[in-house]
């Protein structure tokens, strides 16, 4: 079954069976799966628009192109897949993924496979720092049990609507579980210092060795730290920071794509555009946050590789 929703600029494609329990912030979302789902106004305090627990058996794929907010999903059992940096990656039992706003959200269940998962969907207002920050992990280990119980607790409370203050407590707990994943207190301080330094000078010719020197570790240890904390290599994280900053710059219609490319370290706008499309999901000229369309002319050389 293919279901397209214009309000979400996305598509659901499903051929298997799906059981789910949902909670929504209000009744504005008119998609069939939300009909009859309980409402919890307390979710608005954390800019959560909906959440739930689901069991998917068989193929199912979701593509979302609206840039409204962060999406968090954790695997309870089985395995799903999510597109990260333009490539499908597995999300197994005991793992979670965090998709930031400004990127195309795409994930799927596999044919003849089971995927039990829970999720929290945010819709952060313009100008507010999103849940998914530059140093947030993309795919990492996560104990989904407490989050599942909290979601089911909220569902049960909102279904009976007997104690609104209890729903407030469940909503607060759910939000804390997500932010704990997005902002891990245990993240190595050397990585925080490194990414702050890199983000402040994205036009610099960063190499893995140069980043290792900033972090004061060996290149191999930096690779291990980055993979453990972020689910990315240092090089992949550098490219992600560049593309995320480029997406912000593209909102300024006074900047050409060549200007944006140069500010994030690319002399060749063609290489920049190819990388931007792979990571973010659109060519720069068609990025939904872009107010004008620019033509991109390739040049002879680039400072960084995609």
């Amino acid at each position: 079954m293919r279901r397209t929703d214009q309000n979400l600029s996305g598509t659901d494609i499903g051929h298997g069976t799906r059981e789910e329990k949902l909670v929504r912030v209000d009744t504005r979302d008119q998609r069939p799966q939300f009909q009859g789902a309980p409402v919890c106004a307390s979710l608005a305090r954390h800019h959560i628009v909906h959440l739930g627990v689901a069991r998917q058996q068989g193929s199912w794929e979701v593509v979302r192109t609206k840039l409204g907010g962060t999406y968090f999903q954790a695997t309870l059992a089985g395995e799903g897949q999510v597109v990260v940096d333009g490539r499908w990656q597995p999300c197994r039992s005991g793992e979670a993924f965090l998709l930031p706003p400004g990127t195309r959200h795409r994930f799927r269940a596999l044919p003849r496979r089971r995927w039990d998962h829970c999720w929290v969907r945010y819709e952060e207002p313009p100008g507010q720092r999103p849940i998914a920050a530059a140093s947030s992990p993309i795919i990492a280990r996560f104990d989904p049990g407490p989050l599942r119980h909290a979601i089911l607790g909220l569902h049960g409370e909102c279904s009976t609507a007997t104690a609104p203050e209890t729903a407030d407590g469940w909503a607060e707990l759910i939000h804390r579980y997500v932010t704990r994943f997005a902002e891990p207190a245990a993240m190595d301080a050397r990585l925080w210092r490194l990414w702050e330094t890199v983000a402040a000078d994205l036009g610099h010719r960063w190499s893995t060795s140069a980043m290792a020197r900033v972090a004061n570790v060996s290149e191999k240890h930096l690779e291990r730290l980055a993979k453990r904390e972020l689910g990315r290599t240092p090089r992949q994280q550098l490219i992600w920071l560049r593309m995320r900053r480029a997406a912000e710059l593209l909102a300024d219609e006074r900047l050409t794509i060549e200007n944006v490319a140069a500010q994030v370290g690319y002399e060749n706008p063609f290489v920049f555009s190819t990388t931007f499309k792979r990571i973010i999901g659109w060519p720069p000229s068609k990025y939904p946050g872009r107010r004008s369309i620019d033509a991109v002319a390739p040049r002879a050389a680039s400072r960084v590789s995609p």
Side-chain angles (χ1 to χ4, degrees):
M1 173 182 63
R2 178 184 293 266
R3 182 169 58 241
T4 300
D5 188 273
Q6 296 301 323
N7 294 324
L8 287 170
S9 300
T11 302
D12 294 11
I13 304 171
H15 303 289
T17 59
R18 184 172 176 84
E19 302 172 14
E20 56 189 358
K21 290 187 176 181
L22 311 170
V23 181
R24 50 186 171 161
V25 67
D26 53 40
T27 59
R28 287 180 293 176
D29 195 325
Q30 295 299 309
R31 285 178 291 168
Q33 67 266 39
F34 284 94
Q35 300 306 306
V39 171
C40 177
S42 300
L43 296 177
R45 183 178 308 166
H46 306 293
H47 309 295
I48 298 172
V49 290
H50 60 78
L51 46 79
V53 176
R55 169 171 292 180
Q56 175 69 33
Q57 187 73 42
S59 15
W60 173 68
E61 182 172 338
V62 171
V63 180
R64 293 281 178 263
T65 57
K66 191 174 181 180
L67 308 179
T70 301
Y71 187 87
F72 174 83
Q73 189 153 298
T75 297
L76 299 159
E79 177 183 320
Q81 292 186 337
V82 57
V83 172
V84 175
D85 297 339
R87 300 180 178 90
W88 286 106
Q89 294 192 30
C91 184
R92 302 182 177 91
S93 178
E95 294 181 329
F97 62 80
L98 191 69
L99 301 178
T103 60
R104 180 172 288 158
H105 296 179
R106 189 176 182 186
F107 47 91
R108 68 186 180 188
L110 302 173
R112 298 179 296 280
R113 299 286 294 276
R114 170 184 162 189
W115 188 21
D116 295 358
H117 55 274
C118 53
W119 76 91
V120 182
R121 170 74 163 86
Y122 288 84
E123 191 79 30
E124 295 101 338
Q128 176 172 308
R129 180 179 180 271
I131 297 297
S135 295
S136 296
I138 302 302
I139 297 181
R141 297 296 303 172
F142 178 77
D143 179 5
L147 177 60
R148 174 183 179 274
H149 289 306
I151 292 174
L152 292 177
L154 179 64
H155 183 275
E157 194 63 42
C158 293
S159 296
T160 58
T162 56
E165 65 278 6
T166 306
D168 291 345
W170 284 124
E172 176 68 27
L173 188 59
I174 290 165
H175 178 65
R176 286 185 182 180
Y177 286 140
V178 177
T179 54
R180 184 185 298 172
F181 180 89
E183 301 175 358
M187 175 170 280
D188 194 296
R190 292 167 294 186
L191 284 186
W192 282 103
R193 183 171 64 249
L194 168 62
W195 301 128
E196 287 180 359
T197 302
V198 169
D201 190 8
L202 291 171
H204 181 71
R205 293 193 180 198
W206 290 105
S207 63
T208 302
S209 61
M211 290 188 282
R213 285 194 296 272
V214 172
N216 197 27
V217 296
S218 69
E219 291 183 45
K220 287 186 177 180
H221 191 50
L222 178 59
E223 293 272 351
R224 288 193 294 268
L225 283 174
K227 287 292 288 183
R228 184 186 72 195
E229 303 287 355
L230 298 171
R232 286 187 168 115
T233 66
R235 185 66 177 173
Q236 289 169 336
Q237 178 66 4
L238 169 63
I239 293 173
W240 164 241
L241 291 174
R242 283 173 161 154
M243 296 305 106
R244 187 169 177 132
R245 176 59 179 154
E248 296 172 356
L249 293 171
L250 284 169
D252 187 344
E253 60 185 359
R254 296 169 299 178
L255 296 176
T256 66
I257 290 177
E258 288 87 348
N259 293 149
V260 173
Q263 289 193 45
V264 296
Y266 287 78
E267 290 181 349
N268 186 331
F270 179 77
V271 174
F272 163 73
S273 295
T274 300
T275 307
F276 188 90
K277 181 178 180 181
R278 175 169 61 84
I279 302 297
I280 302 299
W282 294 269
S285 61
K286 296 183 180 179
Y287 181 61
R290 183 70 170 164
R291 296 175 184 173
S292 62
I293 296 178
D294 297 270
V296 178
R299 294 180 184 173
S302 66
R303 292 174 60 181
V304 291
S305 58

